């Protein structure tokens, strides 16, 4: 596991870490206590990924298009 805090991770880094956690849990070759810790980390990573993805979706949705179909800028989304 990375020393980087989850809050500092990019979406891509968090997804890789989550995939690693899931892989270890699926193999089932870890002790019970480690499985619990991995599951807890996985839950936090999942929430972080969902938050990052939601923020990106809101930014994309806020892009305004001109009459020629070209992006003319973005509209700030409340709460971002």
């Amino acid at each position: 596991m990375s020393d980087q805090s989850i809050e500092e991770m990019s979406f891509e880094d968090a997804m890789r870490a989550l995939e690693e956690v899931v892989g270890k849990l699926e193999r089932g070759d870890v002790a019970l206590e480690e499985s619990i810790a991995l599951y807890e980390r996985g839950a936090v990573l999942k929430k972080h990924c969902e938050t990052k993805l939601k923020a990106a979706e809101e930014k994309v949705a806020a892009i305004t298009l001109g009459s020629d179909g070209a992006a003319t800028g973005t509209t700030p989304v409340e709460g971002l």
Side-chain angles (χ1 to χ4, degrees):
M1 285 187 251
S2 172
D3 290 337
Q4 182 182 27
S5 75
I6 292 172
E7 296 80 26
E8 296 173 345
M9 288 182 173
S10 68
F11 175 81
E12 293 80 9
D13 289 342
M15 280 299 295
R16 277 190 290 278
L18 182 56
E19 289 170 357
E20 182 181 317
V21 165
V22 170
K24 287 180 180 180
L25 289 171
E26 286 179 341
R27 283 192 305 274
D29 59 355
V30 293
L32 178 60
E33 289 300 317
E34 186 179 352
S35 292
I36 293 168
L38 283 168
Y39 184 84
E40 290 170 344
R41 179 172 172 79
V44 175
L45 286 163
K46 178 182 175 279
K47 181 170 175 46
H48 180 69
C49 287
E50 289 171 344
T51 300
K52 289 280 194 182
L53 187 57
K54 182 172 174 39
E57 288 172 346
E58 289 175 350
K59 287 179 184 178
V60 169
I63 294 173
T64 56
L65 300 177
S67 59
D68 62 354
T72 59
T74 59
T75 304
V77 176
E78 192 172 316
L80 290 181

